[in-house]
Amino acid sequence: MTPIRLLLVDDDPLVRAGLSFMMGGADDLEIVGEAADGSEVEALVDRTRPDVVLMDIRMPTVDGLAATERLRGRKDAPQVIVLTTFHADEQVLRALRAGAAGFVLKDTPPAEILDAVRRVAAGDPVLSPTVTRQLMVHAAGTSADTRRTSARTRVATLNDREREVAVAVGQGRSNAEIAAELFMSVATVKTHVSRILAKLDLNNRVQIALLTYDAGLLEEDGH
């Protein structure tokens, strides 16, 4: 089994040392590099080819948000998990909109951080629907109307079935739950999710959830 290649990015050497110590003992994970600032990330990604980047948000020169946005535009970009001290934070939401696959709090137990890395490496987001909604509500502000107009325009490109799947993803449903709810196979659900990502130029299910929220689809469905 090929180990998951992990890059650690945090400006605090003690945090990096702690993460390295607690994650370095996992047989299925290899820490391939460390960075103290977002400005170092792209060069390190080129050199070490990580599968997952564990990215601090607040760094002195280039923060985790900017570094995530830069990585998002790259071909075969690694998955990004945001490290933060706050679960309801405007910058966390912006990082998720930029393509981060989820976030973990810095005081999260080591076993849960390991689980998050494994899940993201396997293509699963690491956000509960409850936390996603907390972030969405926290970020609802003056730009909400502009976001809604833009989101509705993008969602209009989906057919009815894709729209149903997108709403179910926004509600936090797993592929198996969506399959049961919409009377289709799990393989068909996966195909629809892949088409939605391609049509809307999105990176992951978290971004589908955020877009359905911005478009008001979850409100229409009573969520």
Side-chain angles (χ1 to χ4, degrees), residues 29-130:
L29 192 146
E30 178 186 0
I31 297 174
V32 296
E34 296 182 14
D37 192 80
S39 60
E40 304 168 20
V41 170
E42 287 190 281
L44 263 177
V45 166
D46 286 337
R47 192 160 71 246
T48 62
R49 300 294 177 186
D51 301 303
V52 179
V53 178
L54 202 53
M55 181 93 73
D56 186 23
I57 285 189
R58 291 170 177 83
M59 292 178 286
T61 308
V62 175
D63 64 21
L65 172 62
T68 297
E69 290 173 335
R70 290 175 185 178
L71 284 180
R72 180 184 179 269
R74 297 166 60 101
K75 186 178 180 182
D76 301 323
Q79 298 288 352
V80 176
I81 300 175
V82 172
L83 269 174
T84 182
T85 51
F86 303 102
H87 71 268
D89 186 283
E90 172 70 20
Q91 286 188 299
V92 174
L93 192 77
R94 287 177 62 196
L96 296 174
R97 292 187 193 283
F103 74 90
V104 293
L105 299 177
K106 288 192 176 183
D107 59 359
T108 299
E112 292 183 25
I113 296 181
L114 273 170
D115 181 60
V117 171
R118 290 172 179 137
R119 286 169 57 192
V120 163
D124 296 324
V126 288
L127 277 181
S128 72
T130 302

Side-chain angles (χ1 to χ4, degrees), residues 11-217:
D11 65 330
D12 187 336
L14 290 178
V15 171
R16 296 199 308 275
L19 288 169
S20 182
F21 176 76
M22 71 185 187
M23 305 182 81
D27 293 337
D28 60 342
L29 192 146
E30 178 186 0
I31 297 174
V32 296
E34 296 182 14
D37 192 80
S39 60
E40 304 168 20
V41 170
E42 287 190 281
L44 263 177
V45 166
D46 286 337
R47 192 160 71 246
T48 62
R49 300 294 177 186
D51 301 303
V52 179
V53 178
L54 202 53
M55 181 93 73
D56 186 23
I57 285 189
R58 291 170 177 83
M59 292 178 286
T61 308
V62 175
D63 64 21
L65 172 62
T68 297
E69 290 173 335
R70 290 175 185 178
L71 284 180
R72 180 184 179 269
R74 297 166 60 101
K75 186 178 180 182
D76 301 323
Q79 298 288 352
V80 176
I81 300 175
V82 172
L83 269 174
T84 182
T85 51
F86 303 102
H87 71 268
D89 186 283
E90 172 70 20
Q91 286 188 299
V92 174
L93 192 77
R94 287 177 62 196
L96 296 174
R97 292 187 193 283
F103 74 90
V104 293
L105 299 177
K106 288 192 176 183
D107 59 359
T108 299
E112 292 183 25
I113 296 181
L114 273 170
D115 181 60
V117 171
R118 290 172 179 137
R119 286 169 57 192
V120 163
D124 296 324
V126 288
L127 277 181
S128 72
T130 302
V131 171
T132 306
R133 287 198 184 90
Q134 285 178 343
L135 281 165
M136 291 172 181
V137 170
H138 176 78
T142 54
S143 62
D145 289 343
T146 302
R147 285 205 312 270
R148 175 154 298 192
T149 301
S150 173
R152 284 185 177 274
T153 299
R154 294 176 71 188
V155 168
T157 63
L158 302 178
N159 62 39
D160 290 344
R161 204 56 162 163
E162 290 165 347
R163 181 185 170 111
E164 287 179 324
V165 171
V167 169
V169 169
Q171 293 165 350
R173 305 275 199 273
S174 67
N175 285 342
E177 290 169 337
I178 296 171
E181 186 177 309
L182 299 181
F183 305 103
M184 61 177 74
S185 70
V186 171
T188 301
V189 174
K190 289 180 178 177
T191 298
H192 280 307
V193 170
S194 295
R195 286 177 180 165
I196 292 165
L197 291 171
K199 274 189 176 183
L200 301 179
D201 190 27
L202 301 175
N203 288 359
N204 53 46
R205 295 167 74 99
V206 174
Q207 288 187 322
I208 295 176
L210 292 170
L211 190 66
T212 59
Y213 175 83
D214 285 346
L217 300 186

